[in-house]
Amino acid sequence: LSSTAYGVRMLSKDLSNTKVELKVENLMIVTKKHDLSLLYLTRELVEWLMIHFPKITVYVGEDLKNSGKFGAEDICRDSKCDQRRIRYWNSKYVQDHDNFFDLVLTLGGDGTVLFVSSLFQKHVPPVLSFSLGSLGFLTNYQFEYFKDDLPAVLNSRIKTNLRMRLDCKAYRRRPPVTDPATGKKICVTELVAQHQVLNELTIDRGPSPFICMLELYGDNSLLTVAQADGVIIATPTGSTAYSLSAGGPLVYPSVNAIMVTPICPHTLSFRPILLPDSMTLKVRVSLKSRATAWAAFDGKGRLELRKGDFITIQASPYSFPTVESHPTEFIDSISRTLNWNVREQQRSFT
Amino acid sequence: LSSTAYGVRMLSKDLSNTKVELKVENLMIVTKKHDLSLLYLTRELVEWLMIHFPKITVYVGEDLKNSGKFGAEDICRDSKCDQRRIRYWNSKYVQDHDNFFDLVLTLGGDGTVLFVSSLFQKHVPPVLSFSLGSLGFLTNYQFEYFKDDLPAVLNSRIKTNLRMRLDCKAYRRRPPVTDPATGKKICVTELVAQHQVLNELTIDRGPSPFICMLELYGDNSLLTVAQADGVIIATPTGSTAYSLSAGGPLVYPSVNAIMVTPICPHTLSFRPILLPDSMTLKVRVSLKSRATAWAAFDGKGRLELRKGDFITIQASPYSFPTVESHPTEFIDSISRTLNWNVREQQRSFT
Amino acid sequence: LSSTAYGVRMLSKDLSNTKVELKVENLMIVTKKHDLSLLYLTRELVEWLMIHFPKITVYVGEDLKNSGKFGAEDICRDSKCDQRRIRYWNSKYVQDHDNFFDLVLTLGGDGTVLFVSSLFQKHVPPVLSFSLGSLGFLTNYQFEYFKDDLPAVLNSRIKTNLRMRLDCKAYRRRPPVTDPATGKKICVTELVAQHQVLNELTIDRGPSPFICMLELYGDNSLLTVAQADGVIIATPTGSTAYSLSAGGPLVYPSVNAIMVTPICPHTLSFRPILLPDSMTLKVRVSLKSRATAWAAFDGKGRLELRKGDFITIQASPYSFPTVESHPTEFIDSISRTLNWNVREQQRSFT
Amino acid sequence: LSSTAYGVRMLSKDLSNTKVELKVENLMIVTKKHDLSLLYLTRELVEWLMIHFPKITVYVGEDLKNSGKFGAEDICRDSKCDQRRIRYWNSKYVQDHDNFFDLVLTLGGDGTVLFVSSLFQKHVPPVLSFSLGSLGFLTNYQFEYFKDDLPAVLNSRIKTNLRMRLDCKAYRRRPPVTDPATGKKICVTELVAQHQVLNELTIDRGPSPFICMLELYGDNSLLTVAQADGVIIATPTGSTAYSLSAGGPLVYPSVNAIMVTPICPHTLSFRPILLPDSMTLKVRVSLKSRATAWAAFDGKGRLELRKGDFITIQASPYSFPTVESHPTEFIDSISRTLNWNVREQQRSFT
């Protein structure tokens, strides 16, 4: 058994080192909306793709459809390309075309990458993210070098980081019904929301002056009853986001863990805890809680949870593959953004 | 690729839920030495095993060989058993008999379990640990109930937790030699110690008044240069030990991570970090360090590291299987010992 | 100068050890409202005071005026006392009678003591707080022993802890006006709220999904621009309340400091800081902040702060004197409530 | 009483704003030894003082007495000064001349300032500290501008920060003696060391593999029994040194507190605590401790403490006055060195 376990570990390692060849036909571009400067950069990118990759059809957001500044017709005329090679996506189109796109390019910051995650609630194509200024945790390519980087990605074998997402299902407690046959009361719950999150699910007291009381279950066993401003259920990818503010550790993206980080806990002993990603978690607003709680999914989709409502959380079958720019990109990102490490000697304060 | 990753995760889950049947012929008992009260409990345990499990040969520590208080002969006479069924182990015997023991029983505290880990530097048999007083992190059975618990373990299928150990190799830097052929200098290092640790490797400044400067590498890339009193490289099992004192998070035993926790770091941004257990780490005393450093392996085997000396750390192929008393034993242990959780409502301090 | 500083320190020490004799004529009783069990205890207390301290007039909350369960008339008849010795207070009465009450007794928890603080926005009489169950940080007397404790307090010299309060003034930014003489724009601000807080002022992002950007000034110098979920400006008394949840240290009540504790800061280097209580602080919502902020005063009086609005904070001239039950009551309270210390040996987790 | 307390607070404030005029006749210069580049800078400084401040006698370290590179004779000849105006100090001279020096200038880092503190175990003259490179916490003047800064200090009224020091007395437990009169055993202790520390007293387990058990008393009441790698008893000045590494808060130099920060405590609830500087602390190695402990005074004077030995700590009557370069020097130093604050907007990591 011990050697099987070791074999699984080696399998994981091999898997994370596997390179795959992308055969890109349908390429999607996602940018931050309402940002004029991005429009011109998008145009530059599309035109370059038209010219250099004649087999690729490019999908841009439908808000660019009639944009004179983007100028799809001009691009095609200038690059002498078939107009049908520039197409438009919207949220519904993405939803209806599972397994359709071969690659997603993003222009923007980490927020744009999170938006891509929210678009693809099922299978996610590889995502390559350009930063326009300084690199972020999720944006590991610089736009200014796209003409160097994209051919390498499109023409050869690449490595992707399969970032675990959490499948969160929110259930509302309904009035119990009576079984007409037995006369027994039956608990009734209703699924009211479902989200795949890339960073974290946050459950907090929102505007309430009272702390909330949250029951945390793992595989249906009660782990703890948290009295706190809230709890964060984070992926390794989310370890550099809100969880870090709340005191959580850094977690390498490929670690197989779900992290529970309390927000301002009301006991001194409530340390962050890392649970295996094979565990199914449940957070339930205690019936004794003085306050309702508010859930947010990657910071969006705010939802009020009343007493007895709960959310189940488990590792999603739909992970989020990001194209790896180089093997040390995670350490580089925490060094750069958090000063976690500097390659030169750390400045000591004593 | 994404679905393969999901498959590996499910495989891990299945593996951790697999029950195996122990066929115990050679059973080893390990107790804390020089503790008289333990002697009588050991005797009680051995006699009970003699009577109820006639196929089992019991090995006790050789310090009991001529102990009148233990009284091997009396046990055999009283239980009418063949005297050859009580035998004696010592450190060398264990070393020479790889894959020989089918089960280890310990009487004592977590320290006794760590001692078992140090004895078995290669393959480790399943370990079942009795606590004499309050349960610990690694001692999940109470001795007072052994007559109920042992038959269940010995006669039916059990679950073990395969606790990852770290394979630590310490290398001393020797004077470089000159290649007579090319005239080039060649670095020379010598392996001076190797330990499988269950909790942690600690590298600290020891009695030096100066902090040490430690280079941390992951898969041969420099991750950071730590200026601190030291660093702790811990397993998930070790997350409840020294790493916790130094500010590290709690980590469920089955999470596939190696944790790096700084001890009193000299920068504010050096948070604990969890790295994948497929990574090979290296900690090297910087040539610029003002102080030498001291390594300790599960708190033992203290070794001075001079400038240029280093230790490599990787997940050991020899994990440490502990017999699981019940599925929530980890959460129970942190609740009980750290007050991490109380099943009743946590007492809030506001 | 050095010896003068030492003199001031000794003066502080003497001052904190000074005992004073209370001459109580007007005694106020404050209890948690809407709690029936408290009504009977209050009645018991009042009747006992009537009988044993004939010179004292007792003021109870006006909600008891016509309460049959309290039964003021019955008390007076039973204790053969003048009915004018039981009187009634309300918020306005307290406000109009500065320096009138000689002692306040509270029955309830720490929340009731905070309520007394909010009632007395100027001079505060000594406050003696009874706990009904387990003692709190501010409730250092047990109600069950009041017949032993009160005579000691009323008949002899007592020590009070002069707990520093913070005088918080919230200013709203109004549209600038033009000076008709010079044509220059003049900033206009309006005082919109003022509170003396005993625990803390909290400024956080409330229900906003965005973090807030808060400028912190000390004596009109910019100390930092905090990007965080919020900041807590706490007294030493407040160090055991919300600040502790957010990671702040414990502070002995007589330390002359104002503590600034960030809530989930977005940089790793924003440690809590203790500033001298002779400093005037100002927290201003940055004009660049994406979110408005919400202020709360001892958890009450929630107030939205828009960009440019600010709050000034300084040590109040009106400190909050609590009657000391015994010299180690602070250490006892943190031991009891936080397990900070146990008189027996601490249980170690390794 | 409340208004007296307020008066004392205002007195403190006034005191900390008081400017004094230095009348400097005897000026002492302290530099890091064995640093050749400092020798030339010292020479430059002395020569400039000779020329511009004819009433000042300069004392340099006696290791410069016969240093050709320093060249006292050359200085006097070049500056046409009386040779008696350059004199030499050593440790004993300083000790024998209490209240003799009017100003100390240091060239070096914070370590040099700590060395000055160790030299002056009683009254300390104002200390002005030059940094040679980047400013430190205690070195607030840049040497390159000394010709601008020194005249301002020597000719006009200045402000000093009276930094509290801790008076630490170490006592060794001797065998008890029997009182011949009564036959009773009498505890005997012997004072074995006394130090005024500017940063902190550290008591830790040193090279011992076991944690130490330390009893902490405040005004002779047991506050806690710490099981930890050690404890740090720090001044506000020391809050930016070792205490910070161990997790302590930042404390403004004028706050009247003594900080107790545990090093790797073995309970989750042992938060740092700030005690009033009017309290006398005592740290005693418990008779039950498995390890001895090691004390260090500002990182020096390492001393082993055996079971029953103890150290008393109280605010020293001899504070350490540093010349203030500008009112925000503390905040500037923590911003600069810790990135605690940056005047521009903090970079957020989300």
Side-chain angles (χ1 to χ4, degrees):
Chain A
L1 209 58
S2 184
S3 57
T4 310
Y6 190 66
V8 170
R9 185 180 304 139
M10 290 302 105
L11 193 63
S12 278
K13 186 165 189 170
D14 290 347
L15 197 66
S16 71
N17 284 323
T18 302
K19 293 193 170 191
V20 294
E21 193 175 340
L22 294 178
K23 295 197 178 135
V24 178
E25 291 179 12
N26 296 304
L27 185 153
M28 180 184 183
I29 294 178
V30 181
T31 68
K32 207 162 60 172
K33 283 184 185 173
H34 313 304
D35 184 322
L36 202 63
S37 66
L38 278 177
L39 210 60
Y40 293 114
L41 299 179
T42 307
R43 189 199 153 109
E44 181 188 353
L45 175 63
V46 171
E47 187 165 345
W48 183 87
L49 284 166
M50 290 290 108
I51 294 169
H52 293 85
F53 292 88
K55 286 181 185 158
I56 291 181
T57 303
V58 173
Y59 290 77
V60 296
E62 67 172 359
D63 53 313
L64 301 189
K65 202 164 192 170
N66 300 309
S67 159
K69 273 161 190 145
F70 176 67
E73 289 187 20
D74 296 352
I75 295 175
C76 292
R77 196 186 52 235
D78 293 355
S79 61
K80 292 167 188 151
C81 289
D82 187 338
Q83 291 208 14
R84 282 167 302 179
R85 288 185 52 218
I86 301 183
R87 300 195 178 182
Y88 302 93
W89 62 261
N90 62 23
S91 177
K92 188 173 179 316
Y93 191 91
V94 172
Q95 209 176 310
D96 291 348
H97 290 71
D98 197 21
N99 256 316
F100 173 76
F101 293 107
D102 305 304
L103 182 67
V104 177
L105 302 181
T106 78
L107 277 75
D110 285 357
T112 306
V113 184
L114 290 174
F115 176 64
V116 171
S117 171
S118 72
L119 277 177
F120 289 87
Q121 287 290 303
K122 294 201 169 171
H123 177 266
V124 190
V127 179
L128 187 161
S129 295
F130 288 113
S131 165
L132 304 169
S134 54
L135 298 176
F137 292 113
L138 292 168
T139 54
N140 284 300
Y141 284 87
Q142 287 190 283
F143 185 76
E144 53 178 317
Y145 304 123
F146 82 83
K147 291 174 188 171
D148 297 326
D149 290 335
L150 275 187
V153 167
L154 291 166
N155 293 328
S156 58
R157 297 168 73 80
I158 58 155
K159 259 175 67 183
T160 59
N161 292 316
L162 293 172
R163 292 169 182 272
M164 190 260 279
R165 297 199 291 177
L166 294 171
D167 178 16
C168 306
K169 292 178 189 155
Y171 293 88
R172 178 127 8 258
R173 185 180 174 237
R174 296 293 177 208
V177 296
T178 309
D179 182 336
T182 64
K184 283 185 185 166
K185 291 221 165 182
I186 302 169
C187 284
V188 182
T189 57
E190 182 193 353
L191 177 68
V192 291
Q194 180 171 14
H195 297 273
Q196 315 291 317
V197 301
L198 179 57
N199 269 346
E200 79 281 290
L201 161 69
T202 305
I203 302 179
D204 62 38
R205 61 175 169 153
S208 160
F210 302 113
I211 60 165
C212 47
M213 197 185 294
L214 300 171
E215 297 159 3
L216 175 66
Y217 298 84
D219 287 340
N220 288 315
S221 293
L222 182 63
L223 302 184
T224 194
V225 179
Q227 287 190 291
D229 278 7
V231 295
I232 300 164
I233 316 288
T235 65
T237 297
S239 74
T240 53
Y242 193 26
S243 168
L244 194 66
S245 290
L250 296 166
V251 185
Y252 208 86
S254 59
V255 168
N256 68 346
I258 303 175
M259 179 157 47
V260 179
T261 308
I263 306 171
C264 295
H266 281 235
T267 56
L268 294 183
S269 60
F270 196 172
R271 280 276 175 96
I273 187 167
L274 283 107
L275 300 168
D277 68 0
S278 53
M279 195 181 260
T280 299
L281 300 183
K282 185 168 88 176
V283 180
R284 181 172 175 265
V285 181
S286 169
L287 295 175
K288 284 185 272 177
S289 183
R290 292 175 71 188
T292 61
W294 292 80
F297 307 87
D298 282 340
K300 308 279 182 191
R302 213 153 167 78
L303 177 76
E304 187 173 15
L305 300 174
R306 292 191 289 259
K307 294 178 195 179
D309 294 352
F310 61 91
I311 297 184
T312 61
I313 304 106
Q314 57 187 337
S316 169
Y318 307 111
S319 55
F320 191 87
T322 57
V323 179
E324 186 180 285
S325 61
H326 56 284
T328 61
E329 64 178 29
F330 176 70
I331 297 294
D332 290 350
S333 74
I334 61 175
S335 305
R336 190 175 56 230
T337 315
L338 306 175
N339 289 318
W340 182 76
N341 161 44
V342 279
R343 284 295 152 93
E344 34 156 17
Q345 175 192 331
Q346 291 186 306
R347 171 111 186 252
S348 167
F349 54 72
T350 53
Chain B
L1 210 58
S2 183
S3 57
T4 309
Y6 190 66
V8 171
R9 184 180 303 138
M10 289 302 105
L11 193 63
S12 280
K13 186 165 190 168
D14 289 348
L15 198 65
S16 72
N17 284 324
T18 301
K19 294 194 170 189
V20 293
E21 193 173 339
L22 293 178
K23 291 189 181 142
V24 179
E25 291 179 12
N26 296 304
L27 185 153
M28 181 184 182
I29 296 179
V30 182
T31 68
K32 207 162 60 172
K33 283 185 186 172
H34 313 303
D35 185 321
L36 202 64
S37 66
L38 278 177
L39 209 60
Y40 293 114
L41 300 178
T42 306
R43 189 198 151 109
E44 181 187 354
L45 175 62
V46 171
E47 186 164 345
W48 183 87
L49 284 165
M50 289 292 109
I51 295 169
H52 293 85
F53 293 89
K55 286 180 188 159
I56 291 181
T57 302
V58 172
Y59 290 75
V60 296
E62 67 174 358
D63 53 313
L64 301 190
K65 202 165 193 170
N66 299 311
S67 160
K69 274 161 189 143
F70 177 66
E73 288 186 24
D74 296 352
I75 296 175
C76 292
R77 196 187 51 235
D78 292 357
S79 61
K80 291 165 192 156
C81 289
D82 186 339
Q83 291 207 19
R84 282 167 299 180
R85 286 185 54 216
I86 300 183
R87 300 194 180 183
Y88 303 92
W89 62 261
N90 61 22
S91 179
K92 185 167 181 320
Y93 190 92
V94 173
Q95 212 175 307
D96 292 345
H97 291 73
D98 197 21
N99 256 319
F100 174 75
F101 293 108
D102 304 304
L103 182 66
V104 178
L105 302 182
T106 78
L107 276 76
D110 286 357
T112 305
V113 185
L114 290 174
F115 175 64
V116 171
S117 171
S118 72
L119 277 177
F120 290 88
Q121 288 289 306
K122 294 200 169 171
H123 176 267
V124 190
V127 179
L128 187 160
S129 296
F130 288 112
S131 165
L132 304 169
S134 54
L135 298 176
F137 292 114
L138 292 168
T139 53
N140 284 300
Y141 284 87
Q142 288 190 281
F143 185 77
E144 55 177 316
Y145 303 123
F146 82 84
K147 292 175 188 170
D148 297 326
D149 290 335
L150 275 185
V153 167
L154 291 166
N155 294 326
S156 58
R157 298 169 72 81
I158 56 156
K159 259 173 67 183
T160 59
N161 291 316
L162 293 172
R163 291 170 182 271
M164 190 260 279
R165 295 199 292 177
L166 293 171
D167 179 15
C168 306
K169 291 178 190 155
Y171 293 88
R172 176 121 20 247
R173 186 183 174 234
R174 295 295 176 206
V177 296
T178 309
D179 182 335
T182 63
K184 282 185 185 165
K185 292 222 166 181
I186 303 169
C187 284
V188 181
T189 56
E190 182 193 352
L191 178 66
V192 291
Q194 179 171 13
H195 297 273
Q196 315 291 318
V197 301
L198 180 56
N199 269 347
E200 77 280 291
L201 162 70
T202 305
I203 301 179
D204 63 39
R205 61 173 169 155
S208 160
F210 302 112
I211 60 165
C212 49
M213 197 185 291
L214 300 171
E215 297 160 3
L216 176 66
Y217 298 84
D219 287 341
N220 289 314
S221 294
L222 182 63
L223 302 183
T224 194
V225 179
Q227 287 190 290
D229 278 6
V231 295
I232 301 163
I233 315 288
T235 64
T237 297
S239 75
T240 53
Y242 193 27
S243 168
L244 193 67
S245 290
L250 296 165
V251 185
Y252 209 86
S254 59
V255 168
N256 67 347
I258 302 174
M259 178 155 49
V260 179
T261 308
I263 306 171
C264 295
H266 282 233
T267 55
L268 294 182
S269 59
F270 196 172
R271 279 277 175 96
I273 186 167
L274 283 109
L275 299 168
D277 68 1
S278 54
M279 194 180 261
T280 298
L281 300 183
K282 185 168 86 178
V283 179
R284 182 173 175 265
V285 180
S286 169
L287 295 175
K288 285 185 271 178
S289 182
R290 294 174 69 187
T292 61
W294 292 81
F297 306 87
D298 282 341
K300 307 281 182 188
R302 212 151 168 80
L303 177 76
E304 188 172 14
L305 301 175
R306 292 191 288 259
K307 296 178 194 178
D309 295 351
F310 60 91
I311 297 183
T312 61
I313 304 106
Q314 57 188 337
S316 169
Y318 306 111
S319 56
F320 191 88
T322 55
V323 178
E324 186 179 286
S325 61
H326 56 285
T328 61
E329 63 177 28
F330 176 70
I331 297 295
D332 290 348
S333 73
I334 60 174
S335 306
R336 190 177 54 231
T337 314
L338 306 175
N339 288 319
W340 183 77
N341 161 46
V342 278
R343 284 296 153 89
E344 33 157 17
Q345 175 191 330
Q346 290 185 305
R347 171 109 187 255
S348 167
F349 53 71
T350 55
Chain C
L1 209 58
S2 183
S3 57
T4 310
Y6 190 67
V8 170
R9 182 179 307 138
M10 291 301 106
L11 194 62
S12 278
K13 185 165 189 168
D14 290 348
L15 198 66
S16 71
N17 284 324
T18 301
K19 293 193 170 191
V20 295
E21 193 173 340
L22 294 178
K23 294 193 178 140
V24 179
E25 291 180 10
N26 296 303
L27 184 152
M28 180 183 183
I29 294 178
V30 181
T31 68
K32 205 161 62 171
K33 283 185 184 172
H34 313 303
D35 184 324
L36 202 65
S37 65
L38 279 177
L39 210 61
Y40 292 114
L41 300 180
T42 308
R43 189 201 152 110
E44 182 188 353
L45 175 63
V46 171
E47 185 164 346
W48 182 87
L49 284 165
M50 289 291 109
I51 294 169
H52 293 85
F53 293 90
K55 286 181 187 158
I56 291 181
T57 302
V58 172
Y59 290 75
V60 296
E62 69 174 355
D63 53 313
L64 301 189
K65 201 165 192 169
N66 300 308
S67 158
K69 274 161 190 143
F70 177 67
E73 288 187 22
D74 296 351
I75 294 174
C76 293
R77 194 187 54 237
D78 292 355
S79 61
K80 291 166 188 155
C81 289
D82 187 340
Q83 290 208 14
R84 282 168 302 181
R85 286 186 52 218
I86 300 182
R87 299 194 180 184
Y88 303 93
W89 63 261
N90 61 23
S91 178
K92 187 173 180 317
Y93 190 92
V94 173
Q95 209 176 308
D96 292 346
H97 289 74
D98 198 22
N99 256 318
F100 173 76
F101 293 106
D102 305 305
L103 182 67
V104 178
L105 302 181
T106 78
L107 277 74
D110 286 356
T112 305
V113 184
L114 290 175
F115 175 64
V116 171
S117 171
S118 72
L119 277 177
F120 289 87
Q121 288 289 307
K122 294 200 169 172
H123 175 264
V124 190
V127 178
L128 187 160
S129 295
F130 288 113
S131 165
L132 304 169
S134 53
L135 298 175
F137 293 113
L138 292 167
T139 54
N140 284 300
Y141 285 86
Q142 288 191 281
F143 185 76
E144 53 177 317
Y145 303 124
F146 83 83
K147 291 175 188 172
D148 297 325
D149 290 335
L150 275 186
V153 166
L154 291 166
N155 293 329
S156 58
R157 298 168 72 80
I158 58 156
K159 258 174 68 181
T160 59
N161 291 316
L162 293 172
R163 292 170 182 270
M164 189 259 279
R165 296 199 292 176
L166 293 171
D167 178 15
C168 305
K169 291 178 189 155
Y171 293 88
R172 181 137 351 268
R173 185 178 173 239
R174 295 293 179 208
V177 296
T178 308
D179 182 336
T182 64
K184 283 185 187 166
K185 292 222 165 182
I186 302 169
C187 284
V188 181
T189 57
E190 181 194 352
L191 178 66
V192 290
Q194 180 171 15
H195 297 273
Q196 316 291 317
V197 300
L198 180 56
N199 269 346
E200 78 281 291
L201 162 68
T202 305
I203 303 179
D204 63 40
R205 61 175 168 152
S208 160
F210 302 112
I211 59 165
C212 48
M213 197 185 291
L214 300 171
E215 296 160 2
L216 176 66
Y217 298 84
D219 288 339
N220 288 316
S221 293
L222 181 63
L223 302 184
T224 194
V225 179
Q227 287 191 292
D229 278 7
V231 295
I232 301 164
I233 314 288
T235 65
T237 297
S239 74
T240 53
Y242 194 26
S243 168
L244 194 66
S245 288
L250 295 166
V251 186
Y252 208 86
S254 59
V255 168
N256 68 346
I258 302 175
M259 177 155 49
V260 179
T261 308
I263 306 171
C264 295
H266 281 234
T267 55
L268 294 182
S269 60
F270 195 172
R271 279 278 174 94
I273 188 167
L274 283 108
L275 299 168
D277 69 359
S278 54
M279 194 181 262
T280 299
L281 299 183
K282 185 168 86 176
V283 179
R284 181 173 176 265
V285 181
S286 168
L287 296 175
K288 283 185 274 177
S289 182
R290 293 174 70 188
T292 61
W294 292 80
F297 307 87
D298 281 342
K300 307 279 184 192
R302 210 149 169 82
L303 178 76
E304 187 173 16
L305 300 175
R306 293 191 288 259
K307 295 177 194 180
D309 294 352
F310 61 90
I311 297 184
T312 62
I313 304 105
Q314 57 188 336
S316 168
Y318 306 111
S319 56
F320 190 87
T322 56
V323 179
E324 186 179 286
S325 60
H326 56 286
T328 61
E329 64 178 27
F330 176 69
I331 296 294
D332 290 350
S333 73
I334 61 175
S335 306
R336 192 174 54 229
T337 314
L338 305 176
N339 289 317
W340 182 76
N341 161 45
V342 279
R343 283 297 152 92
E344 34 157 17
Q345 172 192 333
Q346 289 185 306
R347 171 107 187 257
S348 168
F349 53 74
T350 56
Chain D
L1 211 57
S2 182
S3 56
T4 310
Y6 190 66
V8 170
R9 183 180 305 139
M10 291 300 107
L11 193 61
S12 279
K13 186 165 190 169
D14 289 348
L15 197 65
S16 71
N17 285 323
T18 302
K19 293 193 170 190
V20 294
E21 194 174 340
L22 293 178
K23 293 192 179 141
V24 179
E25 291 179 12
N26 296 304
L27 185 152
M28 180 184 183
I29 295 179
V30 181
T31 69
K32 205 162 61 172
K33 283 185 185 173
H34 313 303
D35 185 324
L36 202 65
S37 66
L38 278 177
L39 210 62
Y40 294 112
L41 300 179
T42 307
R43 189 198 152 111
E44 181 188 355
L45 175 63
V46 171
E47 186 165 346
W48 183 86
L49 284 165
M50 289 290 107
I51 294 170
H52 293 85
F53 292 89
K55 285 181 187 157
I56 290 181
T57 302
V58 173
Y59 290 75
V60 294
E62 67 174 356
D63 53 313
L64 300 189
K65 202 163 192 171
N66 300 309
S67 159
K69 275 164 188 142
F70 178 66
E73 289 186 22
D74 296 353
I75 295 175
C76 291
R77 194 186 53 234
D78 292 355
S79 61
K80 290 167 191 156
C81 288
D82 187 337
Q83 291 206 17
R84 282 168 302 180
R85 286 184 54 218
I86 301 183
R87 300 194 179 184
Y88 302 92
W89 62 261
N90 61 22
S91 178
K92 186 172 182 316
Y93 190 93
V94 173
Q95 212 177 307
D96 292 347
H97 290 73
D98 197 23
N99 256 319
F100 174 74
F101 293 106
D102 304 305
L103 182 66
V104 177
L105 302 182
T106 77
L107 277 75
D110 286 357
T112 305
V113 184
L114 290 175
F115 176 64
V116 171
S117 171
S118 72
L119 278 176
F120 289 88
Q121 287 289 306
K122 294 202 168 171
H123 176 266
V124 190
V127 178
L128 187 159
S129 296
F130 288 113
S131 165
L132 304 169
S134 54
L135 298 175
F137 292 114
L138 292 168
T139 53
N140 284 300
Y141 285 87
Q142 288 189 280
F143 185 76
E144 54 177 317
Y145 304 122
F146 82 83
K147 292 176 188 172
D148 297 327
D149 290 336
L150 275 186
V153 167
L154 291 166
N155 293 328
S156 58
R157 298 168 72 80
I158 57 155
K159 257 173 68 181
T160 59
N161 292 317
L162 293 171
R163 290 171 183 270
M164 188 260 278
R165 295 199 292 177
L166 294 172
D167 178 15
C168 305
K169 290 179 192 155
Y171 293 89
R172 184 143 340 272
R173 185 180 174 237
R174 295 292 177 209
V177 297
T178 308
D179 183 334
T182 65
K184 282 184 187 169
K185 292 222 164 180
I186 302 169
C187 284
V188 180
T189 57
E190 181 194 352
L191 177 66
V192 290
Q194 180 170 15
H195 297 273
Q196 315 291 317
V197 301
L198 179 56
N199 269 347
E200 77 282 289
L201 163 68
T202 305
I203 301 179
D204 62 41
R205 60 172 168 154
S208 160
F210 302 112
I211 59 166
C212 48
M213 197 185 291
L214 301 171
E215 297 160 2
L216 175 67
Y217 298 85
D219 289 339
N220 288 316
S221 292
L222 182 64
L223 302 183
T224 194
V225 179
Q227 286 191 292
D229 278 5
V231 295
I232 300 164
I233 315 288
T235 65
T237 296
S239 75
T240 54
Y242 193 28
S243 168
L244 194 66
S245 289
L250 296 165
V251 185
Y252 208 85
S254 58
V255 167
N256 67 348
I258 302 174
M259 178 156 47
V260 179
T261 308
I263 305 171
C264 295
H266 281 233
T267 55
L268 294 182
S269 60
F270 195 171
R271 280 277 175 94
I273 187 166
L274 284 107
L275 300 168
D277 67 1
S278 54
M279 194 180 262
T280 298
L281 300 183
K282 185 168 86 176
V283 180
R284 181 173 175 267
V285 180
S286 169
L287 295 175
K288 283 185 272 176
S289 183
R290 293 175 70 188
T292 62
W294 292 81
F297 306 88
D298 282 341
K300 308 279 184 193
R302 213 151 168 79
L303 178 76
E304 187 172 16
L305 301 174
R306 291 191 289 260
K307 296 177 194 179
D309 294 351
F310 60 90
I311 297 184
T312 62
I313 304 107
Q314 57 187 337
S316 169
Y318 307 111
S319 56
F320 190 86
T322 56
V323 179
E324 184 179 286
S325 61
H326 56 284
T328 61
E329 62 177 28
F330 176 70
I331 297 293
D332 290 350
S333 74
I334 60 173
S335 306
R336 191 175 54 230
T337 314
L338 306 176
N339 288 320
W340 183 76
N341 161 45
V342 279
R343 284 297 151 90
E344 33 156 19
Q345 173 191 331
Q346 290 184 307
R347 172 110 187 255
S348 168
F349 54 71
T350 55

